[in-house]
């Protein structure tokens, strides 16, 4: 059930403005924030406050083609291996598993 103060479709419109797009839309960020502050539900309005704290970083993240995803994936893999081997094996085995695994 939708709250009475909410426009039909506004939640989907606010959430879907940037998702699923093959093109980067960082330049539209400030327009989206203004629209979300006027029309969107309270949780989305709260999220816009966080986006306003560092708009340059958010715009760069939405616009530039570079990503730290590969690095974050490797960090996640190393942490997973470390947790799985904690107290069971030596550092040398951990090092070997990290280096040989793709």
């Amino acid at each position: 059930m939708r709250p009475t103060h909410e426009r039909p479709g506004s939640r989907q419109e606010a959430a879907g403005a940037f998702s699923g797009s093959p093109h980067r839309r960082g330049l539209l960020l400030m327009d989206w924030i203004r629209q979300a502050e006027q029309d969107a539900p309270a949780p989305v309005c709260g999220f816009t406050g966080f986006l306003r704290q560092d708009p340059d970083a958010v715009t760069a993240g939405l616009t530039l083609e570079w990503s730290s995803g590969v690095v974050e994936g490797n960090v996640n893999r190393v942490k997973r291996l470390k947790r799985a081997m904690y107290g069971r094996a030596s550092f040398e085995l951990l090092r070997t598993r990290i280096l040989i695994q793709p």
Side-chain angles (χ1 to χ4, degrees):
M1 182 164 268
R2 186 177 284 116
T4 57
H5 66 278
E6 185 179 329
R7 221 181 61 208
S10 66
R11 183 173 296 162
Q12 290 83 11
E13 290 170 10
F18 288 98
S19 66
S21 172
H23 305 291
R24 301 292 181 153
R25 297 180 175 224
L27 302 176
L28 302 175
L29 177 68
M30 294 312 290
D31 293 334
W32 181 85
I33 289 175
R34 282 188 218 100
Q35 181 183 1
E37 288 174 339
Q38 293 172 359
D39 301 340
V44 176
C45 290
F47 176 64
T48 61
F50 289 109
L51 295 178
R52 281 192 181 275
Q53 289 178 1
D54 196 357
D56 293 334
V58 177
T59 301
L62 292 170
T63 306
L64 300 176
E65 61 191 53
W66 299 297
S67 170
S68 63
V70 174
V71 173
E72 293 297 329
N74 281 324
V75 168
N76 190 16
R77 181 181 62 85
V78 168
K79 286 181 179 181
R80 184 178 40 84
L81 281 170
K82 183 178 170 184
R83 285 186 195 117
M85 295 179 65
Y86 181 77
R88 296 187 180 112
S90 67
F91 175 75
E92 285 303 315
L93 180 60
L94 174 64
R95 181 178 183 275
T96 304
R97 287 195 64 190
I98 289 171
L99 293 176
I100 65 168
Q101 214 174 26

XYZ file of all heavy atoms in Angstrom:
798
model
N 0.833 -1.173 0.000
C 0.000 0.000 0.000
C 0.884 1.244 0.000
O 1.867 1.312 0.709
C -0.917 -0.036 1.204
C -1.861 1.145 1.265
S -3.199 0.870 2.396
C -4.378 0.209 1.290
N 0.536 2.232 -0.764
C 1.326 3.448 -0.931
C 0.801 4.533 0.013
O -0.405 4.720 0.116
C 1.195 3.913 -2.389
C 2.046 5.065 -2.743
C 1.919 5.408 -4.225
N 2.671 4.431 -4.997
C 2.136 3.590 -5.857
N 0.862 3.593 -6.087
N 2.877 2.725 -6.511
N 1.683 5.261 0.700
C 1.236 6.370 1.531
C 0.485 7.400 0.679
O 0.769 7.585 -0.491
C 2.529 6.972 2.096
C 3.552 5.911 1.920
C 3.119 5.069 0.775
N -0.454 8.094 1.283
C -1.300 9.023 0.530
C -0.545 10.234 0.020
O -0.929 10.822 -0.977
C -2.473 9.496 1.400
O -1.936 10.094 2.584
C -3.377 8.332 1.750
N 0.544 10.626 0.669
C 1.289 11.805 0.246
C 2.238 11.515 -0.915
O 2.812 12.420 -1.487
C 2.082 12.393 1.423
C 3.164 11.487 1.915
N 2.912 10.467 2.784
C 4.486 11.446 1.631
C 4.038 9.818 3.039
N 5.011 10.387 2.356
N 2.377 10.260 -1.273
C 3.331 9.890 -2.314
C 2.646 9.819 -3.671
O 1.578 9.252 -3.814
C 3.940 8.529 -1.985
C 5.021 8.136 -2.940
C 5.608 6.806 -2.573
O 5.654 6.465 -1.391
O 6.029 6.094 -3.495
N 3.271 10.411 -4.658
C 2.788 10.369 -6.028
C 2.941 8.958 -6.577
O 3.944 8.312 -6.342
C 3.645 11.318 -6.861
C 2.908 12.120 -7.855
C 3.857 12.982 -8.628
N 4.801 12.118 -9.334
C 6.021 12.478 -9.657
N 6.467 13.649 -9.373
N 6.832 11.655 -10.294
N 1.968 8.428 -7.325
C 2.129 7.092 -7.900
C 3.364 7.035 -8.804
O 3.567 7.891 -9.651
C 0.847 6.897 -8.719
C -0.122 7.865 -8.160
C 0.682 9.011 -7.615
N 4.194 6.030 -8.597
C 5.369 5.838 -9.433
C 6.593 6.623 -9.002
O 7.657 6.451 -9.558
N 6.485 7.498 -8.016
C 7.640 8.339 -7.670
C 8.783 7.530 -7.086
O 9.941 7.850 -7.307
C 7.234 9.453 -6.706
O 6.840 8.908 -5.472
N 8.481 6.479 -6.350
C 9.545 5.659 -5.773
C 10.327 4.956 -6.877
O 11.548 4.960 -6.877
C 8.952 4.627 -4.817
C 9.998 3.785 -4.137
C 9.397 2.903 -3.089
N 8.837 3.762 -2.065
C 7.946 3.380 -1.172
N 7.516 2.156 -1.165
N 7.481 4.204 -0.276
N 9.638 4.393 -7.843
C 10.317 3.721 -8.940
C 11.071 4.725 -9.803
O 12.177 4.439 -10.266
C 9.316 2.957 -9.819
C 8.721 1.741 -9.154
C 7.547 2.090 -8.242
O 7.041 3.203 -8.254
N 7.136 1.140 -7.426
N 10.486 5.883 -10.030
C 11.160 6.894 -10.839
C 12.431 7.378 -10.155
O 13.468 7.536 -10.788
C 10.229 8.080 -11.089
C 9.093 7.766 -12.022
C 8.059 8.873 -12.064
O 8.330 9.960 -11.513
O 6.990 8.649 -12.628
N 12.355 7.623 -8.851
C 13.524 8.121 -8.116
C 14.632 7.084 -8.083
O 15.798 7.403 -8.288
C 13.122 8.512 -6.696
N 14.270 5.833 -7.836
C 15.287 4.783 -7.739
C 15.839 4.389 -9.099
O 17.000 4.038 -9.230
C 14.701 3.556 -7.049
N 15.023 4.467 -10.132
C 15.442 3.993 -11.436
C 16.091 5.031 -12.318
O 16.463 4.741 -13.452
N 16.265 6.240 -11.827
C 16.823 7.302 -12.669
C 18.240 6.988 -13.132
O 18.623 7.351 -14.233
C 16.808 8.629 -11.913
N 19.030 6.297 -12.311
C 20.418 6.009 -12.664
C 20.670 4.526 -12.916
O 21.686 4.162 -13.448
C 21.361 6.479 -11.557
C 21.482 7.966 -11.499
C 20.748 8.697 -10.594
C 22.311 8.639 -12.378
C 20.851 10.066 -10.553
C 22.415 10.008 -12.347
C 21.679 10.723 -11.427
N 19.763 3.670 -12.525
C 20.032 2.237 -12.652
C 19.738 1.741 -14.059
O 18.867 2.240 -14.742
C 19.192 1.456 -11.642
O 17.829 1.590 -11.964
N 20.496 0.741 -14.469
C 20.261 0.080 -15.733
C 20.641 0.887 -16.961
O 20.369 0.478 -18.063
N 21.275 2.012 -16.783
C 21.625 2.836 -17.931
C 23.000 2.457 -18.452
O 23.943 2.353 -17.677
C 21.634 4.310 -17.529
O 22.141 5.084 -18.580
N 23.136 2.272 -19.753
C 24.459 1.960 -20.284
C 25.373 3.182 -20.337
O 26.565 3.058 -20.502
C 24.155 1.452 -21.696
C 22.877 2.112 -22.057
C 22.113 2.271 -20.768
N 24.816 4.362 -20.189
C 25.598 5.597 -20.251
C 25.776 6.166 -18.854
O 24.892 6.056 -18.012
C 24.894 6.624 -21.134
C 24.600 6.108 -22.500
N 25.581 5.859 -23.424
C 23.436 5.759 -23.086
C 25.035 5.403 -24.538
N 23.730 5.320 -24.355
N 26.907 6.785 -18.628
C 27.161 7.421 -17.340
C 26.337 8.694 -17.246
O 26.233 9.455 -18.195
C 28.649 7.748 -17.191
C 29.544 6.552 -17.295
C 29.346 5.647 -16.114
N 30.235 4.503 -16.201
C 30.665 3.856 -15.154
N 30.311 4.203 -13.969
N 31.446 2.827 -15.313
N 25.738 8.947 -16.082
C 24.845 10.082 -15.933
C 25.251 11.010 -14.786
O 24.388 11.592 -14.139
C 23.423 9.590 -15.701
C 22.889 8.820 -16.867
C 21.501 8.360 -16.584
N 20.974 7.725 -17.771
C 19.760 7.937 -18.223
N 18.958 8.741 -17.598
N 19.356 7.322 -19.289
N 26.518 11.152 -14.536
C 26.968 11.994 -13.436
C 26.595 13.449 -13.590
O 26.375 14.157 -12.606
N 26.496 13.922 -14.825
C 26.168 15.326 -15.053
C 24.717 15.641 -14.712
O 24.364 16.802 -14.521
C 26.467 15.698 -16.511
C 27.927 15.467 -16.933
C 28.104 15.758 -18.413
C 28.859 16.319 -16.103
N 23.876 14.639 -14.606
C 22.469 14.839 -14.254
C 22.224 14.723 -12.752
O 21.082 14.810 -12.314
C 21.605 13.803 -14.983
C 21.694 13.781 -16.504
C 20.890 12.625 -17.057
C 21.215 15.090 -17.072
N 23.279 14.538 -11.978
C 23.131 14.269 -10.552
C 22.417 15.387 -9.809
O 21.468 15.128 -9.063
C 24.503 14.023 -9.913
C 24.473 13.800 -8.403
C 23.791 12.475 -8.092
C 25.872 13.814 -7.841
N 22.827 16.623 -9.999
C 22.224 17.724 -9.238
C 20.745 17.889 -9.585
O 19.923 18.167 -8.706
C 22.994 19.025 -9.455
C 24.412 18.986 -8.875
S 24.534 18.364 -7.172
C 23.785 19.671 -6.262
N 20.389 17.692 -10.849
C 18.973 17.758 -11.231
C 18.183 16.644 -10.542
O 17.072 16.862 -10.054
C 18.815 17.630 -12.748
C 19.396 18.812 -13.493
O 19.472 19.911 -12.896
O 19.778 18.638 -14.660
N 18.776 15.449 -10.497
C 18.110 14.331 -9.836
C 17.940 14.601 -8.338
O 16.882 14.305 -7.778
C 18.903 13.045 -10.053
C 18.250 11.861 -9.415
C 17.274 11.080 -9.937
C 18.518 11.346 -8.104
N 16.916 10.101 -9.046
C 17.656 10.237 -7.914
C 19.391 11.714 -7.080
C 17.656 9.506 -6.738
C 19.387 10.974 -5.918
C 18.524 9.880 -5.746
N 18.969 15.167 -7.707
C 18.887 15.471 -6.270
C 17.771 16.468 -6.009
O 16.957 16.289 -5.101
C 20.240 15.991 -5.739
C 21.250 14.842 -5.689
C 20.084 16.625 -4.363
C 22.653 15.280 -5.303
N 17.695 17.534 -6.811
C 16.636 18.538 -6.628
C 15.253 17.914 -6.793
O 14.347 18.168 -6.007
C 16.821 19.687 -7.611
C 17.891 20.650 -7.179
C 17.924 21.890 -8.088
N 19.312 22.261 -8.278
C 20.057 21.985 -9.343
N 19.530 21.370 -10.378
N 21.319 22.339 -9.393
N 15.093 17.088 -7.812
C 13.806 16.452 -8.052
C 13.458 15.487 -6.921
O 12.315 15.436 -6.472
C 13.816 15.711 -9.382
C 12.490 15.055 -9.705
C 12.535 14.274 -10.994
O 13.566 14.206 -11.649
N 11.422 13.678 -11.359
N 14.440 14.725 -6.461
C 14.200 13.764 -5.385
C 13.825 14.471 -4.094
O 12.971 13.986 -3.349
C 15.431 12.890 -5.178
N 14.433 15.606 -3.812
C 14.100 16.336 -2.590
C 12.675 16.868 -2.622
O 12.054 17.028 -1.581
C 15.100 17.474 -2.370
C 16.460 16.979 -1.958
C 17.507 18.076 -1.882
O 17.329 19.142 -2.502
O 18.526 17.838 -1.214
N 12.154 17.115 -3.801
C 10.788 17.623 -3.924
C 9.752 16.504 -3.954
O 8.697 16.622 -3.336
C 10.641 18.457 -5.200
C 11.440 19.732 -5.181
C 11.414 20.438 -6.528
O 10.801 19.956 -7.478
N 12.083 21.566 -6.607
N 10.029 15.425 -4.692
C 9.006 14.431 -4.989
C 9.151 13.097 -4.277
O 8.175 12.399 -4.086
C 9.007 14.115 -6.498
C 8.740 15.342 -7.340
O 8.197 16.316 -6.817
O 9.097 15.315 -8.532
N 10.354 12.703 -3.938
C 10.616 11.330 -3.499
C 10.221 11.108 -2.044
O 10.061 12.051 -1.268
C 12.089 11.007 -3.701
N 10.089 9.835 -1.664
C 9.801 9.491 -0.269
C 10.943 9.879 0.666
O 12.068 10.124 0.210
C 9.605 7.977 -0.292
C 9.862 7.520 -1.667
C 10.132 8.687 -2.534
N 10.660 9.897 1.945
C 11.621 10.358 2.954
C 12.966 9.632 2.903
O 14.011 10.286 3.010
C 11.009 10.258 4.341
N 13.023 8.300 2.752
C 14.344 7.653 2.709
C 15.216 8.140 1.551
O 16.428 8.290 1.695
C 14.012 6.168 2.558
C 12.647 6.016 3.113
C 11.941 7.303 2.791
N 14.610 8.396 0.407
C 15.383 8.888 -0.737
C 15.844 10.317 -0.472
O 16.974 10.686 -0.807
C 14.549 8.798 -2.043
C 15.309 9.400 -3.215
C 14.180 7.363 -2.336
N 14.993 11.123 0.159
C 15.393 12.493 0.513
C 16.572 12.480 1.478
O 17.483 13.295 1.366
C 14.215 13.245 1.123
S 12.928 13.621 -0.061
N 16.567 11.547 2.428
C 17.702 11.418 3.333
C 18.973 11.025 2.608
O 20.058 11.522 2.918
N 18.840 10.156 1.625
C 19.983 9.730 0.822
C 20.565 10.908 0.047
O 21.786 11.027 -0.090
C 19.537 8.614 -0.125
C 20.591 8.143 -1.064
C 21.740 7.525 -0.596
C 20.439 8.321 -2.422
C 22.716 7.076 -1.474
C 21.405 7.886 -3.313
C 22.550 7.262 -2.830
N 19.725 11.799 -0.437
C 20.217 12.955 -1.182
C 21.078 13.853 -0.304
O 22.009 14.493 -0.797
C 19.069 13.776 -1.798
O 18.230 14.267 -0.756
C 18.280 12.957 -2.789
N 20.792 13.901 0.992
C 21.625 14.680 1.901
C 23.056 14.160 1.937
O 24.014 14.941 1.972
N 23.205 12.836 1.914
C 24.549 12.245 1.872
C 25.238 12.547 0.541
O 26.439 12.772 0.496
C 24.488 10.734 2.099
C 24.141 10.357 3.510
C 22.918 9.804 3.801
C 25.033 10.579 4.540
C 22.588 9.467 5.108
C 24.728 10.254 5.845
C 23.490 9.695 6.123
N 24.480 12.539 -0.541
C 25.067 12.842 -1.848
C 25.551 14.282 -1.917
O 26.542 14.583 -2.566
C 24.048 12.589 -2.965
C 23.601 11.149 -3.159
C 22.572 11.071 -4.266
C 24.774 10.251 -3.454
N 24.855 15.191 -1.250
C 25.233 16.607 -1.265
C 26.512 16.884 -0.475
O 27.128 17.922 -0.637
C 24.109 17.466 -0.706
C 23.001 17.723 -1.693
C 22.075 18.816 -1.168
N 20.997 19.077 -2.072
C 21.072 19.905 -3.112
N 22.191 20.522 -3.379
N 20.027 20.107 -3.880
N 26.924 15.971 0.392
C 28.126 16.192 1.189
C 29.383 16.239 0.334
O 30.316 16.965 0.661
C 28.265 15.109 2.263
C 27.246 15.241 3.356
C 27.367 14.144 4.393
O 28.232 13.264 4.315
N 26.486 14.169 5.372
N 29.442 15.457 -0.729
C 30.604 15.472 -1.621
C 30.149 15.248 -3.061
O 30.364 14.180 -3.634
C 31.620 14.419 -1.199
C 32.983 14.639 -1.836
O 33.123 15.582 -2.645
O 33.904 13.864 -1.537
N 29.516 16.248 -3.649
C 28.964 16.060 -5.001
C 30.034 15.810 -6.065
O 29.763 15.117 -7.049
C 28.204 17.358 -5.268
C 28.799 18.352 -4.337
C 29.267 17.584 -3.142
N 31.234 16.349 -5.880
C 32.292 16.117 -6.869
C 32.671 14.639 -6.945
O 32.846 14.085 -8.033
C 33.531 16.957 -6.556
C 33.274 18.440 -6.713
O 32.373 18.807 -7.502
O 33.972 19.237 -6.055
N 32.803 14.001 -5.793
C 33.165 12.583 -5.775
C 32.050 11.727 -6.362
O 32.316 10.786 -7.118
C 33.472 12.141 -4.351
N 30.805 12.043 -6.028
C 29.680 11.268 -6.548
C 29.574 11.440 -8.058
O 29.379 10.476 -8.797
C 28.369 11.670 -5.841
C 27.188 10.922 -6.432
C 28.463 11.404 -4.356
N 29.726 12.673 -8.533
C 29.665 12.931 -9.977
C 30.789 12.196 -10.698
O 30.569 11.600 -11.754
C 29.755 14.448 -10.256
O 28.674 15.094 -9.582
C 29.671 14.737 -11.736
N 31.987 12.215 -10.132
C 33.108 11.502 -10.744
C 32.832 10.002 -10.787
O 33.115 9.336 -11.782
C 34.397 11.782 -9.982
N 32.275 9.462 -9.719
C 31.962 8.035 -9.682
C 30.926 7.631 -10.707
O 30.943 6.526 -11.229
N 30.002 8.534 -11.003
C 28.962 8.241 -11.988
C 29.387 8.559 -13.415
O 28.754 8.119 -14.362
C 27.695 9.038 -11.660
C 26.961 8.634 -10.392
C 25.883 9.647 -10.061
C 26.378 7.250 -10.538
N 30.438 9.348 -13.574
C 30.812 9.835 -14.897
C 32.046 9.139 -15.464
O 32.053 8.767 -16.634
C 31.085 11.355 -14.842
O 29.939 11.991 -14.282
C 31.342 11.903 -16.215
N 33.077 8.990 -14.650
C 34.337 8.450 -15.152
C 34.242 6.956 -15.422
O 33.466 6.245 -14.806
C 35.459 8.732 -14.155
C 35.710 10.209 -13.872
C 36.768 10.367 -12.790
C 36.107 10.945 -15.132
N 35.050 6.497 -16.355
C 35.026 5.089 -16.730
C 35.879 4.218 -15.812
O 35.791 3.005 -15.854
C 35.506 4.926 -18.170
C 36.922 5.416 -18.383
C 37.296 5.499 -19.843
O 36.572 6.126 -20.611
O 38.344 4.929 -20.188
N 36.719 4.828 -14.986
C 37.590 4.054 -14.100
C 36.811 3.557 -12.901
O 35.900 4.207 -12.408
C 38.764 4.903 -13.634
C 39.599 5.353 -14.766
C 40.320 4.561 -15.630
C 39.782 6.687 -15.206
N 40.952 5.325 -16.559
C 40.639 6.660 -16.332
C 39.318 7.912 -14.776
C 41.031 7.785 -16.997
C 39.713 9.048 -15.449
C 40.554 8.964 -16.544
N 37.226 2.394 -12.397
C 36.555 1.796 -11.259
C 37.584 1.047 -10.418
O 38.558 0.517 -10.942
C 35.489 0.816 -11.745
O 34.987 0.064 -10.681
N 37.346 0.975 -9.135
C 38.224 0.206 -8.252
C 37.630 -1.167 -7.972
O 38.028 -1.841 -7.030
C 38.456 0.960 -6.947
O 37.230 1.114 -6.262
N 36.689 -1.591 -8.794
C 36.013 -2.868 -8.592
C 36.935 -4.068 -8.593
O 36.763 -4.995 -7.800
N 37.922 -4.082 -9.469
C 38.850 -5.212 -9.536
C 39.671 -5.294 -8.253
O 39.854 -6.371 -7.680
C 39.762 -5.090 -10.777
C 40.815 -6.173 -10.784
C 38.929 -5.136 -12.043
N 40.142 -4.163 -7.791
C 40.932 -4.134 -6.554
C 40.071 -4.582 -5.381
O 40.496 -5.403 -4.553
C 41.505 -2.722 -6.302
C 42.175 -2.641 -4.950
C 42.460 -2.339 -7.407
N 38.852 -4.065 -5.291
C 37.962 -4.445 -4.189
C 37.645 -5.933 -4.234
O 37.533 -6.580 -3.194
C 36.676 -3.624 -4.250
C 36.876 -2.153 -3.968
C 37.394 -1.881 -2.570
O 37.074 -2.647 -1.638
O 38.127 -0.899 -2.406
N 37.508 -6.486 -5.438
C 37.258 -7.919 -5.560
C 38.416 -8.745 -5.043
O 38.221 -9.770 -4.373
N 39.641 -8.321 -5.350
C 40.814 -9.038 -4.850
C 40.954 -8.916 -3.341
O 41.322 -9.882 -2.667
C 42.085 -8.543 -5.541
C 42.233 -9.139 -6.919
O 41.892 -10.288 -7.141
N 42.738 -8.350 -7.853
N 40.662 -7.745 -2.794
C 40.715 -7.568 -1.338
C 39.691 -8.485 -0.674
O 39.981 -9.140 0.338
C 40.469 -6.088 -0.966
C 40.228 -5.931 0.521
C 41.632 -5.227 -1.415
N 38.504 -8.557 -1.248
C 37.464 -9.427 -0.711
C 37.907 -10.890 -0.756
O 37.702 -11.657 0.192
C 36.177 -9.224 -1.501
C 35.002 -9.910 -0.868
O 35.047 -10.297 0.285
N 33.937 -10.057 -1.635
N 38.538 -11.307 -1.850
C 39.021 -12.685 -1.988
C 40.086 -13.003 -0.940
O 40.052 -14.064 -0.299
C 39.591 -12.889 -3.400
C 40.096 -14.287 -3.660
C 40.662 -14.434 -5.061
N 41.805 -13.575 -5.310
C 43.057 -13.901 -4.990
N 43.320 -15.047 -4.415
N 44.036 -13.075 -5.263
N 41.024 -12.086 -0.729
C 42.083 -12.304 0.260
C 41.494 -12.399 1.665
O 41.870 -13.272 2.461
C 43.150 -11.193 0.171
C 44.092 -11.235 1.352
C 43.905 -11.300 -1.130
N 40.546 -11.528 1.986
C 39.921 -11.577 3.313
C 39.167 -12.887 3.522
O 39.197 -13.464 4.607
C 38.955 -10.406 3.483
C 39.636 -9.084 3.699
C 38.599 -8.002 3.886
C 39.226 -6.658 4.124
N 38.202 -5.613 4.335
N 38.489 -13.363 2.485
C 37.759 -14.619 2.582
C 38.719 -15.782 2.840
O 38.469 -16.631 3.699
C 36.961 -14.854 1.300
C 36.085 -16.087 1.334
C 35.269 -16.257 0.070
N 35.952 -15.949 -1.159
C 36.734 -16.793 -1.831
N 36.945 -18.000 -1.372
N 37.312 -16.427 -2.956
N 39.829 -15.816 2.098
C 40.831 -16.867 2.319
C 41.425 -16.786 3.723
O 41.600 -17.805 4.396
C 41.954 -16.746 1.296
C 41.691 -17.298 -0.086
C 42.802 -16.883 -1.037
C 41.565 -18.798 -0.031
N 41.717 -15.586 4.158
C 42.324 -15.396 5.481
C 41.381 -15.886 6.580
O 41.798 -16.561 7.514
C 42.650 -13.917 5.662
C 43.350 -13.597 6.946
C 43.667 -12.113 7.000
C 44.157 -11.718 8.368
N 44.385 -10.289 8.477
N 40.093 -15.557 6.451
C 39.123 -16.004 7.451
C 38.980 -17.526 7.446
O 38.859 -18.150 8.503
C 37.761 -15.361 7.184
C 37.702 -13.927 7.575
C 36.297 -13.369 7.419
N 36.357 -11.918 7.461
C 36.013 -11.120 6.465
N 35.556 -11.625 5.331
N 36.108 -9.824 6.584
N 38.969 -18.099 6.257
C 38.801 -19.547 6.156
C 39.996 -20.295 6.735
O 39.841 -21.397 7.267
C 38.593 -19.945 4.698
N 41.182 -19.713 6.653
C 42.396 -20.402 7.098
C 42.835 -19.994 8.508
O 43.824 -20.517 9.009
C 43.526 -20.127 6.107
C 43.255 -20.704 4.737
S 44.562 -20.357 3.576
C 45.911 -21.271 4.286
N 42.108 -19.083 9.148
C 42.527 -18.582 10.456
C 42.691 -19.731 11.458
O 41.787 -20.517 11.679
C 41.510 -17.575 10.999
C 41.901 -17.003 12.331
C 42.878 -16.031 12.423
C 41.311 -17.458 13.499
C 43.251 -15.505 13.639
C 41.679 -16.937 14.719
C 42.646 -15.967 14.786
O 43.014 -15.449 15.994
N 43.883 -19.824 12.063
C 44.157 -20.828 13.085
C 44.387 -22.229 12.557
O 44.594 -23.153 13.331
N 44.341 -22.409 11.242
C 44.461 -23.747 10.676
C 45.755 -23.967 9.918
O 46.168 -25.097 9.715
C 43.305 -24.011 9.715
C 41.968 -24.006 10.404
C 40.894 -24.449 9.430
N 39.613 -24.449 10.097
C 38.630 -23.620 9.818
N 38.776 -22.723 8.878
N 37.512 -23.683 10.476
N 46.360 -22.900 9.430
C 47.532 -23.076 8.573
C 48.525 -21.954 8.821
O 48.220 -20.951 9.450
C 47.107 -23.099 7.117
N 49.699 -22.126 8.255
C 50.761 -21.135 8.441
C 50.597 -19.960 7.475
O 49.847 -20.019 6.497
C 52.110 -21.801 8.190
O 52.217 -22.158 6.820
N 51.359 -18.930 7.742
C 51.344 -17.757 6.867
C 51.835 -18.124 5.473
O 51.335 -17.604 4.479
C 52.213 -16.641 7.460
C 52.335 -15.458 6.553
C 51.285 -14.570 6.407
C 53.487 -15.244 5.824
C 51.385 -13.484 5.551
C 53.601 -14.165 4.967
C 52.541 -13.274 4.837
N 52.810 -19.009 5.379
C 53.356 -19.412 4.079
C 52.292 -20.061 3.192
O 52.223 -19.807 1.996
C 54.551 -20.349 4.249
C 55.802 -19.635 4.693
C 56.210 -18.518 3.731
O 56.186 -18.737 2.508
O 56.523 -17.423 4.230
N 51.448 -20.905 3.787
C 50.379 -21.522 3.014
C 49.360 -20.475 2.567
O 48.905 -20.489 1.425
C 49.694 -22.625 3.818
C 48.560 -23.351 3.102
C 49.060 -24.026 1.827
C 47.923 -24.381 4.023
N 49.024 -19.561 3.463
C 48.107 -18.464 3.092
C 48.687 -17.656 1.944
O 47.997 -17.366 0.956
C 47.842 -17.568 4.297
C 47.013 -16.311 4.029
C 45.612 -16.679 3.573
C 46.971 -15.431 5.257
N 49.946 -17.302 2.044
C 50.624 -16.529 0.990
C 50.593 -17.280 -0.334
O 50.278 -16.719 -1.376
C 52.066 -16.246 1.409
C 52.842 -15.431 0.422
C 54.261 -15.175 0.961
N 54.997 -14.333 0.075
C 55.674 -14.775 -0.994
N 55.693 -16.052 -1.287
N 56.324 -13.932 -1.767
N 50.867 -18.568 -0.290
C 50.863 -19.383 -1.504
C 49.476 -19.425 -2.124
O 49.326 -19.274 -3.341
C 51.343 -20.800 -1.194
O 52.639 -20.714 -0.593
C 51.406 -21.655 -2.438
N 48.442 -19.624 -1.306
C 47.087 -19.683 -1.832
C 46.657 -18.351 -2.448
O 45.948 -18.340 -3.443
C 46.113 -20.094 -0.738
C 46.242 -21.561 -0.392
C 45.088 -22.075 0.406
N 43.859 -21.996 -0.359
C 42.671 -22.205 0.178
N 42.544 -22.488 1.458
N 41.581 -22.124 -0.558
N 47.081 -17.264 -1.837
C 46.733 -15.944 -2.381
C 47.416 -15.724 -3.729
O 46.819 -15.227 -4.675
C 47.090 -14.832 -1.382
C 46.144 -14.877 -0.198
C 47.053 -13.462 -2.051
C 46.522 -13.984 0.939
N 48.687 -16.107 -3.819
C 49.451 -15.858 -5.034
C 49.076 -16.777 -6.189
O 49.146 -16.359 -7.352
C 50.940 -15.956 -4.753
C 51.491 -14.863 -3.836
C 52.961 -15.117 -3.555
C 51.288 -13.478 -4.439
N 48.676 -18.013 -5.910
C 48.386 -18.941 -7.024
C 46.946 -18.889 -7.486
O 46.646 -19.276 -8.599
C 48.757 -20.403 -6.662
C 47.904 -20.919 -5.538
C 50.220 -20.530 -6.401
C 48.022 -22.423 -5.336
N 46.053 -18.386 -6.673
C 44.648 -18.350 -7.058
C 44.386 -17.144 -7.957
O 44.848 -16.051 -7.668
C 43.769 -18.272 -5.820
C 42.467 -18.999 -5.980
C 41.694 -19.024 -4.684
O 41.853 -18.155 -3.849
N 40.860 -20.026 -4.516
N 43.638 -17.341 -9.055
C 43.378 -16.215 -9.970
C 42.460 -15.158 -9.368
O 41.739 -15.351 -8.489
C 42.726 -16.868 -11.169
C 42.262 -18.198 -10.738
C 43.058 -18.566 -9.526
